[in-house]
Amino acid sequence: MRLLAWLKWPWIHFLLLGVLLFELQAWLYPAPKPVVGPLTEARLETLQQQWLQTTGRPPNSEQLARMVNAELDRDMLFQRALSYELHLYDSVVYQRLLRNMHFLQLGADKSDQALYEQALDMRLHLGDEVIKRRMIQVMEQLLLAANPPAKVTEQDLASAFASRKDELRQPPRYSIAHVYFSREREAEVDEVIATITERDLDPRSARELSSPFLPGYDFNQQTPDQLARHFGAAFVLNLQQAQPTAGAWTGPVRSTYGQHYIWVESIEPERDASLDEVRQRLRRDLESQARAAALAAAIADMRDQFEVRS
């Protein structure tokens, strides 16, 4: 009964009407969303030049659209970080602004705090790419803290292992020693090999007949890719074509640098990996994918709060 009595009071009517009008106004005339974009012609040209330098060809329309969207997302994250005033509490931004002020020779007879405040007044933080990258990184960390990635389970690991079985195969591994002949000594190759054979020299003794080779003379448990980093890709191909046998000399085998007489200590053939061998690799990959998915979802949600102009 008391509630009904209150409803008869005029000021209650005015209060309810005011609330209703306020909500109606917010619904009919919502506050404008922050605007991001469009990119300037100069930034578009920069994106295309970066792609061209990386790939050797200009981007197609789909590739350019992806780059533009990624750049607009960066602008959105930076704008949100500024609205949260994250730049005012970050030591990296603080040091960067001080460095910029000293570079501009504006630091005479001023304390670091005074320089920092002057840099903010000059809005130097808005045009510095290092500060922008830092603020974007901080915003991404905040988004991931609020939207944590899914945990990687044993079932996820087992599924990834099954689907990537061919990719995860363990490459062959070679344990070898060599006698190196620089290009200036290639005429001596047959004579030196004959000496090694006649004297039945072991690899260590035969090394006395080698030219100096900076990467060394003994290579243990090396994959083809690892050998290629030392000798060049042509050497690996030539070695495999020679069909080496463990416990025997092979060659000469040509490389980028000259020729090599190879002692093959052992060869481990290519094989399937076990889950335990690649568990950490799979976990890192899956965690990275989960992090990227969670971040993409959070950014997509944030995009709804902005007016993004492509």
Side-chain angles (χ1 to χ4, degrees):
M1 296 297 294
R2 182 176 298 179
L3 178 60
L4 292 176
W6 282 6
L7 291 177
K8 296 179 181 179
W9 294 357
W11 67 270
I12 291 291
H13 299 168
F14 284 113
L15 178 61
L16 293 175
L17 182 61
V19 170
L20 178 62
L21 290 175
F22 178 81
E23 294 296 332
L24 184 61
Q25 181 183 30
W27 179 69
L28 291 175
Y29 306 101
K33 296 180 179 180
V35 177
V36 172
L39 301 184
T40 64
E41 289 296 326
R43 290 181 69 183
L44 288 172
E45 178 66 22
T46 298
L47 290 176
Q48 294 179 77
Q49 288 299 320
Q50 290 173 344
W51 181 275
L52 180 62
Q53 292 171 4
T54 302
T55 66
R57 61 182 183 277
N60 59 35
S61 58
E62 182 180 347
Q63 292 163 341
L64 181 59
R66 285 201 301 267
M67 286 191 293
V68 169
N69 288 334
E71 195 70 7
L72 290 171
D73 284 345
R74 294 181 74 249
D75 287 352
M76 179 180 65
L77 290 170
F78 184 49
Q79 191 174 136
R80 179 53 57 88
L82 294 176
S83 71
Y84 289 166
E85 297 187 336
L86 300 180
H87 58 292
L88 300 180
Y89 308 98
D90 191 90
S91 60
V92 174
V93 174
Y94 181 82
Q95 294 298 330
R96 179 69 178 180
L97 289 177
L98 290 183
R99 180 179 177 182
N100 290 346
M101 292 296 286
H102 287 300
F103 177 79
L104 295 172
Q105 298 182 347
L106 299 174
D109 302 325
K110 290 185 178 180
S111 67
D112 285 351
Q113 184 61 30
L115 282 176
Y116 171 67
E117 293 174 358
Q118 183 179 351
L120 291 176
D121 290 340
M122 295 172 64
R123 301 170 68 84
L124 294 185
H125 59 290
L126 299 182
D128 189 290
E129 183 60 28
V130 173
I131 292 177
K132 182 175 182 179
R133 286 200 301 268
R134 172 62 178 175
M135 289 294 93
I136 291 171
Q137 180 185 51
V138 172
M139 269 307 306
E140 289 177 343
Q141 292 171 350
L142 290 177
L143 289 176
L144 287 173
N147 305 274
K151 297 291 186 181
V152 175
T153 66
E154 281 298 317
Q155 184 177 354
D156 294 332
L157 290 170
S159 177
F161 178 67
S163 65
R164 296 171 59 182
K165 186 175 181 179
D166 291 341
E167 173 197 341
L168 296 169
R169 279 182 64 82
Q170 297 296 292
R173 292 183 178 273
Y174 298 85
S175 294
I176 64 173
H178 72 118
V179 177
Y180 168 54
F181 302 91
S182 61
R183 295 187 181 278
E184 294 76 17
R185 293 187 58 207
E186 288 192 1
E188 307 174 25
V189 171
D190 291 340
E191 180 182 350
V192 172
I193 289 177
T195 299
I196 293 172
T197 302
E198 291 171 4
R199 298 183 183 178
D200 193 22
L201 297 179
D202 60 32
R204 182 173 295 277
S205 300
R207 188 180 305 165
E208 300 298 326
L209 305 175
S210 175
S211 300
F213 191 70
L214 189 60
Y217 301 94
D218 296 300
F219 299 87
N220 296 317
Q221 300 288 305
Q222 299 285 291
T223 67
D225 286 345
Q226 290 171 327
L227 287 176
R229 285 196 288 270
H230 297 300
F231 296 93
F235 170 85
V236 176
L237 180 61
N238 293 334
L239 177 62
Q240 291 173 335
Q241 289 177 343
Q243 298 182 340
T245 301
W249 288 95
T250 296
V253 176
R254 181 169 293 280
S255 76
T256 304
Y257 309 105
Q259 295 199 57
H260 309 259
Y261 193 42
I262 308 297
W263 171 258
V264 182
E265 182 68 30
S266 65
I267 302 174
E268 294 182 12
E270 183 181 24
R271 61 178 176 80
D272 287 336
S274 68
L275 176 56
D276 285 341
E277 285 179 308
V278 295
R279 181 182 300 275
Q280 292 305 314
R281 174 182 170 183
L282 289 175
R283 183 176 295 279
R284 285 194 299 269
D285 291 348
L286 291 174
E287 287 176 346
S288 178
Q289 293 168 13
R291 182 182 184 278
L295 184 58
I299 290 175
D301 289 342
M302 182 183 293
R303 201 178 295 125
D304 293 337
Q305 304 168 24
F306 285 77
E307 181 182 343
V308 182
R309 299 175 180 176
S310 302

